[in-house]
Amino acid sequence: MNLYTYASPATFYHLAGRLIPWFAWSAGILTLVGLYIGFFVAPTDFQQSEAYRVIFIHVPAAWMGMFIYLVMAFWGAIGLAFNTRLSFMMVRALAPTGAIFTFIALWTGALWGKPMWGAWWVWDARLTSTLILLFLYIGIMALWAAIDDVKRGDRAGALLALIGAINVPIIYFSVKWWNTLHQGASVSLTKAPTMATIMLTGMLIMAFAAWFYSIAVALARVRAIILERERHTEWVKDILER
Amino acid sequence: MEWASWSDFWDMGGYGLYVWGSYAVTAACILMEVILLKRGAGQTRRRLKRMRQWEES
């Protein structure tokens, strides 16, 4: 199997079709397990009482918002470098899901911030850079909507994804560099998590659920995009006749 | 974590508005995305079929 086997839309279309159910089901099961742990196993927090339970969707959504943007920048770079159509289709398939997760992160953050900080919104380094991330997502989707020529739209979107990618490390390190209101990283790759194990377990399970969900949704969306763009090919004609 | 009663569960330590407000909007976003995706895929197929029939007739 050479590298380009799954770069062909026809091959990838069928592969994606087989993968979606696995990712969708595991996302559903992990969500149930994660929510069960989050609400019926994890104890009350000594400081935040029950309000902290928003963490089980706030953190996974924020991670996915940032991660999906980097994946978009990656496929954008691959598309620009190798001119592989499928890479650009993947960038288009990921954007809506990334935007939704970024919005969820901002929304759940505001509803968590109100009782804990006393404010729905603060122009804090992390919050502001995450808002910029949402604007970047919307900007990319607006570019696609504005540019009729598909190829030009792909290139413009990929370029903006690449340029905006610098914002993701800024978000990640913003709590350290500026140390404004948002708390520092409780979970990091360098040191042990400063969270109760059971709470951390619930949160990580929900993070995996969000990840598998994003894969399932992106694969489903890219299949629709593939059909759209490859409609003049024989294999799409066969599919449409079936 | 034993909740004394369902009303305690919904009250969520007095933070019910915030916790359930977060979870409700998240669930709504996810459901909306899945529904729009399924509908969109169906519409794409129908539109492509129609376009093919026009091209061939």
Side-chain angles (χ1 to χ4, degrees), chain A residues 72 75-77 79-80 83-93 140 143-162 225 229-230:
Chain A
M72 274 172 65
W75 285 121
L80 289 170
N83 209 4
T84 40
R85 304 192 309 284
L86 189 54
S87 311
F88 289 128
M89 296 186 210
M90 209 48 198
V91 181
R92 293 211 184 208
I140 292 172
L143 257 182
W144 289 330
I147 300 173
D148 293 331
D149 175 56
V150 171
K151 278 213 177 311
R152 278 185 57 239
D154 283 348
R155 309 185 85 77
L159 205 58
L160 184 50
L162 275 171
I225 294 171
R229 293 200 182 183
E230 307 284 312

Side-chain angles (χ1 to χ4, degrees), chain B residues 10-57:
Chain B
W10 296 120
D11 181 48
M12 201 46 69
Y15 296 108
L17 168 70
Y18 304 111
V19 173
W20 301 118
S22 301
Y23 276 86
V25 167
T26 303
C29 288
I30 299 294
L31 277 175
M32 182 203 66
E33 181 174 34
V34 172
I35 290 165
L36 287 181
L37 197 56
K38 278 201 179 327
R39 226 160 43 99
Q43 277 167 355
T44 303
R45 278 171 181 264
R46 277 192 299 278
R47 184 162 37 83
L48 294 180
K49 272 184 197 157
R50 270 202 310 275
M51 288 162 72
R52 225 167 55 70
Q53 274 142 17
W54 291 335
E55 282 153 12
E56 279 170 7
S57 64

Side-chain angles (χ1 to χ4, degrees), chain A residues 170-192:
Chain A
I170 291 173
I171 295 174
Y172 187 74
F173 292 110
S174 62
V175 278
K176 221 164 25 171
W177 293 341
W178 288 287
N179 194 8
T180 39
L181 190 54
H182 192 283
Q183 74 170 49
S186 316
V187 177
S188 78
L189 304 175
T190 50
K191 57 179 172 49

